[in-house]
Amino acid sequence: MYRSRPTGNLDSKALSYLSSMTEDSDLFYYDLLGSQAHVIMLYESDILSKKETIDILKGIDQLISNSASLNEYAESTAEDIHELIESAVIKMTTMNVGGKMHTARSRNDQVVLDIRMKLRDDLNRISSNLLGLINSLLSKARENIDTIMPMYTHLQQAQLGVLSHYLLSYCFSLLRNYERFSENYKRINVSPLGACAIGGSSMNIDRNKVASMLGFSGIVYNSVDATTSRDFLVEFSSNSLNTMLDLCRISEDFIIWSTSEFGFISLNDQFSSSSSAMPQKKNPDPLELIRGKTAMIEGNLVAISSIIKGLSSGYSRDLQEIKPLLWKTSSTLETSIEIMNGIVSTIFVDKDKMYAASAKSYAISLDIAEQLIMEGGISFRLSHKVIGTIVDYASRHGSIPLNLLTVSDIATSLKKIEFSHPILTPEKILTLIKLDTPENSIRFRKTKGSPNKNEQKIMIDHVEKVIFDYEKELELRSNKLHLGMDLLDKKIKHLINESS
Ligand code: ARG
């Protein structure tokens, strides 16, 4: 829109092709904040007079309190929110005054400033929602320390476990995602403003002052880096994908567990859909959509990095295409976490069904094999063979649960592999099998991080403590952010009040 070398207007089709106005609507507020800080810094650096500063600040204030006035003042030929706001302020003040707002600034440092400001707010909400979800998983874990269930590998029954163990695994995994976002925050929360188009300015501006008024922890020092780099948002997209992949796996598990065949859990009606045709249906659509939307988040990561891949250093307009993808990623992630939190905290767990599936399961086999090693001193490989052969016998004879086998069933199986042992007689093996009840199976599992009750308590206490620490960290972070913003607010109020 501000065309000095090219003459005349942009072709109207070209203008709408160039326009980023739709995706910029989320940046409106941040662009105004950035402009306020920039203008105050220009005043404090003796580049703008007090009167000019106040006039511009009043214009910006009017746009904040009544965004509709933007349409009244702004130029319709603006390519983006930055030009739109500048043109409105110029109309409200005059070219001589408003035209100074863009001194020692370029849309190149301005756009990446706005992105960083919006992204850090998105990230803070996402982080706080993540802690909320982890808290809900933890509460459910506390209720289900004794809820015995089969654990699966290849979706085949593998070993017996407890539901809390499963839920805690996602507490750990999601906490790692929280930590990734916290690291990411450090790299987002630095100000690029003052880098100008690419090579800085010959005017006496103060980059650090702007940064601190906007709550940043510092500046992106190198001006080429400040305007070129988008690594922080590739990182954000990757962290988002990792988080969605966790939600996606929980979704898949819950979908399977809520089938009539499993019946381990049932979703609250608030989070279930119906069928327009089949009256009996209660479908897990929100979980399916978390799974489906993960594909979009994955696609966005690939698209964003592909946009960057083709570029030379410095700003190129291709970068504009990243914004709608990024906003879609952050808003989808934020709501997906909220939905998952609602589902987890209202889910019904059918402990009896889980126990019944465990009681008749061959998932006890590895525990029995380990008992044979400890009692008879045989090798793991031989023990594996003995129990495998007994399970094969039981499953071929009508899937007899192992504890209902007889001594002669076991003797027949052992004969097949010519196994005989002074201690591990068929009688002794049957005694060991009967000793391995589902409860004992869990109790006997001693290793750190396994499903036994003591380990559950250790993990619950640990997660509880980490959540507490991270909640504090988030609070501190938001206080620091507001400290800078409060300073900006104070300076604006002081200048505007002084003039009236
Ligand atoms: N609308 C542009 C974007 O979103 C702003 C920066 C434009 N800069 C430029 N030199 N054309 O990326």
Side-chain angles (χ1 to χ4, degrees), residues 41-42 44-47 104 201-206:
M41 180 277 294
L42 290 178
E44 292 181 356
S45 308
D46 295 327
I47 296 168
S201 165
S202 49
M203 305 199 66
N204 190 26
I205 57 170
D206 186 339

Side-chain angles (χ1 to χ4, degrees), residues 23 54 148 158 172 189 197 208 278 281 301 378 411 419:
E23 54 268 31
I54 291 168
I148 297 177
F172 284 107
N189 193 31
N208 284 313
M278 296 163 280
K281 281 300 219 100
L301 171 64
I378 59 172
F419 177 83

Side-chain angles (χ1 to χ4, degrees), residues 108-377:
N108 299 353
D109 56 351
Q110 197 178 351
V111 67
V112 69
L113 172 88
D114 295 359
I115 292 173
R116 284 172 183 273
M117 286 173 76
K118 170 169 159 50
L119 207 56
R120 69 182 179 180
D121 280 353
D122 289 0
L123 186 150
N124 282 339
R125 281 197 313 279
I126 286 166
S127 297
S128 151
N129 285 353
L130 253 180
L131 293 184
L133 170 59
I134 298 167
N135 239 323
S136 300
L137 287 163
L138 185 66
S139 305
K140 276 285 156 206
R142 278 198 205 95
E143 294 165 17
N144 287 286
I145 293 187
D146 294 314
T147 307
I148 297 177
M149 65 179 297
M151 295 193 281
Y152 299 82
T153 65
H154 311 269
L155 210 49
Q156 303 286 326
Q157 293 182 351
Q159 285 186 280
L160 295 189
V162 283
L163 182 58
S164 57
H165 193 225
Y166 168 87
L167 295 166
L168 284 163
S169 78
Y170 283 99
C171 291
F172 284 107
S173 185
L174 290 169
L175 280 173
R176 285 197 296 278
N177 286 318
Y178 171 92
E179 288 157 9
R180 287 188 187 101
F181 277 119
S182 282
E183 269 299 304
N184 194 185
Y185 184 81
K186 290 186 210 156
R187 286 180 275 277
I188 293 175
N189 193 31
V190 271
S191 168
L193 214 65
C196 303
I198 181 167
S201 165
S202 49
M203 305 199 66
N204 190 26
I205 57 170
D206 186 339
R207 294 189 64 195
N208 284 313
K209 188 177 271 179
V210 180
S212 69
M213 276 190 276
L214 294 172
F216 286 103
S217 68
I219 60 171
V220 189
Y221 203 85
N222 182 305
S223 64
V224 181
D225 184 29
T227 49
T228 302
S229 300
R230 296 293 188 273
D231 56 320
F232 64 92
L233 53 81
V234 174
E235 191 180 359
F236 178 86
S237 308
S238 156
N239 295 343
S240 301
L241 176 59
N242 254 322
T243 310
M244 283 302 280
L245 288 173
D246 273 346
L247 302 190
C248 194
R249 234 175 312 114
I250 299 175
S251 297
E252 176 69 4
D253 291 335
F254 282 6
I255 289 168
I256 294 169
W257 294 354
S258 65
T259 56
S260 317
E261 286 72 12
F262 271 76
F264 286 179
I265 56 168
S266 122
L267 300 190
N268 189 287
D269 284 356
Q270 276 179 287
F271 295 99
S272 308
S273 296
S274 55
S275 156
S276 61
M278 296 163 280
Q280 87 284 7
K281 281 300 219 100
K282 178 171 160 171
N283 290 331
D285 292 27
L287 292 170
E288 291 171 334
L289 277 173
I290 288 177
R291 211 172 45 185
K293 286 173 194 286
T294 303
M296 178 266 291
I297 299 226
E298 186 175 346
N300 285 353
L301 171 64
V302 174
I304 289 171
S305 47
S306 305
I307 290 170
I308 296 167
K309 182 208 161 285
L311 302 183
S312 54
S313 305
Y315 178 85
S316 299
R317 196 64 178 256
D318 316 42
L319 292 171
Q320 177 171 295
E321 290 298 300
I322 291 178
K323 287 185 290 185
L325 305 172
L326 192 62
W327 307 154
K328 188 86 181 139
T329 289
S330 68
S331 65
T332 305
L333 176 64
E334 189 179 336
T335 35
S336 300
I337 295 170
E338 277 169 358
I339 296 289
M340 186 53 92
N341 193 348
I343 291 174
V344 168
S345 47
T346 59
I347 209 157
F348 168 74
V349 176
D350 194 332
K351 299 184 182 188
D352 295 340
K353 278 240 171 92
M354 287 184 169
Y355 188 83
S358 309
K360 60 174 193 220
S361 170
Y362 295 140
I364 207 90
S365 300
L366 180 54
D367 296 310
I368 303 170
E370 289 186 341
Q371 293 299 316
L372 257 59
I373 296 170
M374 289 185 280
E375 290 288 328

Side-chain angles (χ1 to χ4, degrees), residues 452-467:
N452 81 63
K453 202 169 194 157
N454 196 37
E455 284 300 314
Q456 298 307 296
K457 287 186 178 149
I458 290 173
M459 290 190 267
I460 286 174
D461 289 350
H462 174 78
V463 170
E464 197 172 73
K465 187 187 163 310
V466 178
I467 293 177

